[in-house]
Amino acid sequence: MEKDKDKEPELYLQKLSDELNRLDAHYDDITPPSLQELERLMADAAVHRKSRERKELLVFWGISLILICAFLSILGSAPMIYWIIQAIIPIAGLGGLGIARIRRNREGAQE
């Protein structure tokens, strides 16, 4: 019985070695990309990231301007509606946070 326990790590090491050799043989024909190719890929990724960030910034500014214009027009035409909206949004947000905290505390107490 004790001999089996001594041989068990050796069996696992042998199996691991065999599987690693099989994996190496399977991917042996794949060559890594050259340094120039990696640099080109990194430059392309940087250009893509900058263009995506620029688009996100433009969308952010567009939505911000639309929201500001909408709220200013509401304020000019119906100030009471504007102030109601200004009161409801934070109250709803804080209420949602409170509900989430209560649920989280209840789930923590049940465990």
Side-chain angles (χ1 to χ4, degrees):
M1 185 90 150
E2 213 170 286
K3 287 183 179 180
D4 292 339
K5 286 186 178 182
D6 291 340
K7 290 184 179 181
E8 194 171 311
E10 292 175 13
L11 286 171
Y12 288 132
L13 286 174
Q14 182 62 35
K15 286 181 181 180
L16 179 63
S17 178
D18 291 342
E19 292 298 319
L20 288 174
N21 287 335
R22 193 178 79 155
L23 187 64
D24 286 341
H26 186 69
Y27 290 105
D28 195 28
D29 58 341
I30 297 175
T31 58
S34 66
L35 181 61
Q36 292 82 12
E37 189 175 346
L38 285 174
E39 288 174 347
R40 183 185 56 78
L41 288 172
M42 287 175 40
D44 290 345
V47 168
H48 179 69
R49 186 181 65 247
K50 284 185 180 184
S51 68
R52 189 180 66 232
E53 287 173 356
R54 189 175 300 121
K55 287 178 185 175
E56 288 177 2
L57 186 61
L58 288 173
V59 168
F60 170 78
W61 278 106
I63 291 172
S64 299
L65 289 174
I66 290 169
L67 287 173
I68 289 172
C69 289
F71 278 109
L72 287 177
S73 66
I74 291 172
L75 179 62
S77 63
M80 188 51 97
I81 294 174
Y82 174 78
W83 290 113
I84 290 171
I85 291 173
Q86 289 296 316
I88 289 174
I89 290 174
I91 290 171
L94 291 173
L97 286 174
I99 291 170
R101 177 170 280 185
I102 289 169
R103 285 184 183 170
R104 189 175 61 225
N105 288 341
R106 284 183 186 170
E107 290 173 1
Q110 289 177 357
E111 293 175 0

